[in-house]
Amino acid sequence: MTDAPDTVPPPPKTSWFLADKALAALAFAIAAFCLLPHVSVLIAALTSDTETLRHLAGSVLGTYSVNTLALVVIVGFFTFLIGTGAAWLVTMTDFPGRRVLEIALVVPLAFPAYVLAYAYTHVLDHPGVVQTLLRDVTGWGPRDYWFPEIRSLGGAAMMLTLVLYPYVYLLARAAFLGQSATTFLAARSLGKPPLYAFLTVSLPLARPAIAAGVLLAMMETIADFGTVSYFGVQTFATGIYNSWFSMADRGAAAQLSLGLLTFALLLAMLERSNRGRARFSNGKRQEVIARIPLQGAARYGAMILCGIPVVLGVIAPVVALSVMAVGSEQNLLSPRYVKFISNSLTLASVAAGVTVGVAILLGSFARLRGTRAAGTAQYVARIGYAVPGGVIAVGLMVPFAAFDNGLDALMRDTFGISTGLLFTGSIWLLVGAYMIRFLAAALGAYEGGIASVSRNIDAASRVLGQSSLGTIRRIHVPLLTPSLLTAALIVFVDVMKELPATLIMRPFNFDTLAVQAYRLASDERLNGAAVPSLLIGAIGLLPVILLCRQVARN
């Protein structure tokens, strides 16, 4: 007589059905919440008075458009050059220091552009170290020489390029590593030099990945507020903030947000179209391409070309900020700074947990259902990455402020009590804005992990009586722990760097390291701004180090 095998009775069909319905309801509710800022910006822009917008159109609207477009074009061009060139050099050639540089080229991703702006202003501005030394050595007066102006559109483009080129570098390097050795060797066997083979074979095959990286850098450029605001470059991002706070005109802020939203969604459509047209096949890489050993001047040229972005994007700013911080008289152990750090870590941790949880729900819903409605919900939820934080902030503040005011008026008239502001200015609404802004990054990490999980496992789980929620909890989450941890770290560091949404939506007297750095820099207290800036970069290094380890393993 044998013992009966231990079995877990399947859940009743009623509970199974309800669990699936609950998952669908949650997924569509999340998609609706992610769509809310876009719809509210559209409605507010179309229903608001256009007097302020007409005034802006006659004064600065053209400047906003030209500067925003110019930044996007310049940053896109130079991130393409730096990211693609560095990726090809460290992947296809061999030169001294290559192993160190292929990892170091990723590190600038840990720093927000406005942190570099503070450092380079201290070094290159008129009262800065370089120009002061130049005047002392030459005896020139302030008007006796010309020096590039760091606080300019070109300076802002430089700061953004130095922190955004890793998007292109990472995707291009992955594309080069995945290419078939036979295609490149065939071009070389025909007597073509390495550069010709790169331009005619490797580069066209990597085009979809490179284009995706450039478009990501462009979307981050239009979303930037801290750098352009500090450098005095008038863009749509600064116009939205000024309309909201300086002019107290939420209608104008919504109308400007609509213009920026249209541009951002156009870039998102280009990125999606680029992925849809990616029909090149890299083939099966049967053998590793032998790296081309560089000799003579070429080897040192490669070292310099790959080293310049690291020096300008990491080493020089960190050294400058460290020197500035020494004389800043900012006490990291004071209760005030402990509060800044605590607020930043709390927001980033909660937002990372919420965003990853939502990504699990939406990703699993789209995988298990596989319907057009499920795919649409997932697509709607991820377009927030193309939308600047300031636009999302305006899009959430307008409807929730109206709801809070309406509810308060109703309760006063009916019961004689005031409910105050339940959502506006709350941490949870700010976390919701972060979730909308960075959900695409978490979904990307989830999809990268779930792609390696066979659908037969899902089918077996359902046969054994598991509902959708049970499959997610018992199968998907345990298998995807590394990918989900990566997603959480990415969202964590992005929230640490996010500035415009935090400035607009943070609760009263709830400041973060990013807000403190921006406030001190706005008051021209750059030495003081160096301390929170260094802390932001130091915290951001954690996910970048993990990403570098992944690059090294590959």
Side-chain angles (χ1 to χ4, degrees):
M1 181 175 179
T2 59
D3 296 333
D6 295 333
T7 59
V8 178
K13 288 188 176 181
T14 301
S15 62
W16 196 45
F17 175 78
L18 291 177
D20 284 358
K21 289 295 183 182
L23 178 62
L26 280 173
F28 288 123
I30 291 168
F33 179 73
C34 292
L35 190 62
L36 177 62
H38 317 316
V39 175
S40 65
V41 163
L42 177 62
I43 294 174
L46 295 179
T47 58
S48 299
D49 180 55
T50 59
E51 181 179 353
T52 303
L53 186 62
R54 287 197 300 269
H55 171 71
L56 293 174
S59 54
V60 295
L61 191 59
T63 303
Y64 290 165
S65 303
V66 171
N67 286 346
T68 302
L69 183 60
L71 273 177
V72 167
V73 172
I74 294 172
V75 173
F77 177 73
F78 282 103
T79 53
F80 163 74
L81 285 183
I82 297 173
T84 306
W88 188 75
L89 285 173
V90 302
T91 304
M92 301 295 190
T93 67
D94 194 17
F95 55 91
R98 178 187 60 81
R99 290 184 175 274
V100 174
L101 286 171
E102 69 179 354
I103 304 302
L105 283 162
V106 187
V107 175
L109 204 60
F111 294 88
Y114 56 82
V115 167
L116 269 66
Y118 304 154
Y120 277 103
T121 297
H122 176 77
V123 174
L124 299 177
D125 205 14
H126 184 271
V129 177
V130 173
Q131 293 200 52
T132 299
L133 179 62
L134 179 64
R135 291 192 296 269
D136 291 342
V137 171
T138 61
W140 290 340
R143 299 181 181 274
D144 294 336
Y145 66 95
W146 176 86
F147 198 86
E149 178 59 56
I150 188 64
R151 297 197 188 199
S152 62
L153 187 144
M158 175 184 171
M159 301 300 106
L160 290 165
T161 298
L162 288 174
V163 300
L164 295 178
Y165 80 82
Y167 286 119
V168 183
Y169 168 77
L170 285 170
L171 293 176
R173 185 175 182 275
F176 291 146
L177 285 171
Q179 288 179 5
S180 171
T182 55
T183 55
F184 186 83
L185 294 176
R188 296 285 286 125
S189 66
L190 294 175
K192 302 300 182 181
L195 181 59
Y196 182 88
F198 164 69
L199 294 175
T200 58
V201 177
S202 299
L203 189 61
L205 287 174
R207 182 197 63 81
I210 294 172
V214 171
L215 287 170
L216 282 173
M218 287 180 171
M219 287 190 282
E220 288 292 332
T221 298
I222 66 172
D224 178 78
F225 170 77
T227 309
V228 293
S229 174
Y230 182 67
F231 278 175
V233 180
Q234 294 180 318
T235 64
F236 273 100
T238 60
I240 293 168
Y241 185 84
N242 292 333
S243 298
W244 187 276
F245 284 100
S246 301
M247 295 185 242
D249 191 334
R250 297 186 177 185
Q255 289 159 353
L256 291 173
S257 298
L258 180 61
L260 191 55
L261 176 62
T262 303
F263 190 30
L265 292 180
L266 176 62
L267 288 178
M269 291 171 61
L270 287 174
E271 193 274 337
R272 182 175 176 82
S273 175
N274 172 73
R275 285 190 286 115
R277 293 195 305 266
R279 295 291 185 263
F280 293 120
S281 173
N282 285 331
K284 295 182 178 180
R285 185 168 179 164
Q286 303 293 344
E287 58 180 295
V288 177
I289 298 178
R291 297 183 186 275
I292 304 169
L294 300 181
Q295 303 295 332
R299 65 191 313 198
Y300 297 108
M303 290 175 59
I304 293 172
L305 290 176
C306 292
I308 286 176
V310 177
V311 172
L312 295 181
V314 181
I315 298 175
V318 169
V319 171
L321 290 170
S322 300
V323 173
M324 294 160 61
V326 171
S328 65
E329 299 181 356
Q330 300 285 311
N331 184 8
L332 288 177
L333 301 179
S334 66
R336 188 162 168 264
Y337 256 95
V338 171
K339 188 68 173 175
F340 293 152
I341 297 172
S342 174
N343 291 345
S344 299
L345 293 176
T346 299
L347 278 178
S349 301
V350 173
V354 170
T355 305
V356 171
V358 169
I360 294 172
L361 277 174
L362 286 174
S364 299
F365 176 63
R367 176 182 170 92
L368 295 175
R369 282 294 182 90
T371 62
R372 179 174 296 180
T376 301
Q378 188 180 37
Y379 176 72
V380 167
R382 72 191 313 157
I383 61 176
Y385 190 75
V387 182
V391 175
I392 294 175
V394 172
L396 289 179
M397 291 287 282
V398 170
F400 279 100
F403 174 82
D404 282 342
N405 291 329
L407 179 62
D408 183 69
L410 177 64
M411 296 299 290
R412 284 176 181 271
D413 295 340
T414 306
F415 302 104
I417 59 175
S418 174
T419 58
L421 299 177
L422 299 179
F423 295 101
T424 309
S426 67
I427 290 180
W428 288 109
L429 191 59
L430 179 57
V431 169
Y434 292 146
M435 185 270 291
I436 296 173
R437 176 78 174 86
F438 302 118
L439 182 56
L443 279 171
Y446 170 88
E447 290 171 350
I450 202 69
S452 62
V453 178
S454 172
R455 290 186 176 273
N456 292 334
I457 296 178
D458 299 345
S461 173
R462 301 306 292 268
V463 168
L464 293 174
Q466 288 296 318
S467 65
S468 297
L469 292 176
T471 301
I472 295 171
R473 180 172 59 88
R474 297 186 176 185
I475 306 297
H476 290 175
V477 171
L479 290 175
L480 300 179
T481 297
S483 297
L484 298 178
L485 179 59
T486 300
L489 289 170
I490 292 172
V491 176
F492 181 90
V493 71
D494 280 339
V495 172
M496 288 292 299
K497 297 189 294 183
E498 172 63 30
L499 183 60
T502 310
L503 280 173
I504 295 174
M505 301 184 67
R506 74 189 191 280
F508 178 74
N509 202 28
F510 189 91
D511 293 333
T512 63
L513 289 170
V515 172
Q516 174 68 357
Y518 171 78
R519 179 180 296 157
L520 291 172
S522 299
D523 294 337
E524 296 301 327
R525 299 166 60 189
L526 288 182
N527 286 347
V531 175
S533 298
L534 281 173
L535 283 174
I536 293 171
I539 295 172
L541 279 176
L542 174 60
V544 171
I545 289 173
L546 295 177
L547 182 60
C548 290
R549 290 181 61 187
Q550 182 65 35
V551 171
R553 284 197 296 268
N554 289 339

